[in-house]
Amino acid sequence: MKIERHSKIVELIGKYEIETQEELAAKLNEAGFRVTQATVSRDIRELKLTKVAVDGGKQKYVVLHKADSSLNDKYIRILRDGFVSMDMAQNILVVKTVPGMAMAVAAALDALHFHEIVGCIAGDDAIMCAVRSVDDTIIVMEKLRRAMSV
């Protein structure tokens, strides 16, 4: 049950901007996990979650991957170097790349572990990403815009 709960926590903080332990406990209870604030506090410590600032002066929980930060920088660089444009068709995100870069950009997208992306298929200069929903497609597009503008 703990592994399932931890997995659900990672999913929830990837999908929602959860600012407090109480909000996280409420989302878990809505999802069918009967938890107390003390359980959530312990889970946050075990998962090594941290808070980061988001727009509007708020904060949200994220999974902290210290060892992966230099890798994430490399993946963002690959995205910037290979990216040409993106467009959506319902829950499909199509990313156009520089010729020959689609495989590298798709691998970078996969490595960033966006919860919303189910998987990517790459050709020579285009990638088709299966996204969980239309709303998630819009979220992914915004995440990519932000990641490449930093």
Side-chain angles (χ1 to χ4, degrees), residues 26-132:
K27 292 282 187 195
L28 284 167
N29 282 312
E30 286 172 21
F33 294 89
R34 298 294 163 231
V35 295
T36 63
Q37 185 270 331
T39 302
V40 170
S41 180
R42 218 173 9 260
D43 289 341
I44 288 170
R45 257 192 328 276
E46 290 173 7
L47 289 168
K48 295 181 174 66
L49 301 183
T50 190
K51 286 186 177 182
V52 296
V54 293
D55 296 334
K58 289 184 154 192
Q59 293 186 329
K60 72 172 189 168
Y61 281 108
V62 296
V63 179
L64 183 61
H65 295 292
K66 287 184 181 177
D68 293 348
S69 66
S70 65
L71 281 178
N72 278 349
D73 292 343
K74 289 177 185 178
Y75 297 136
I76 298 300
R77 235 182 340 242
I78 290 169
L79 283 172
R80 284 187 190 136
D81 290 346
F83 181 87
V84 172
S85 66
M86 64 182 154
D87 200 357
M88 66 181 277
Q90 299 291 334
N91 69 315
I92 303 294
L93 175 64
V94 177
V95 178
K96 298 286 187 173
T97 69
V98 173
M101 285 291 291
M103 295 284 276
V105 172
L109 284 170
D110 286 339
L112 289 172
H113 303 293
F114 288 158
H115 162 74
E116 298 87 358
I117 297 177
V118 178
C120 299
I121 300 172
D124 182 58
D125 65 352
I127 304 162
M128 186 180 82
C129 300
V131 184
R132 296 186 189 283

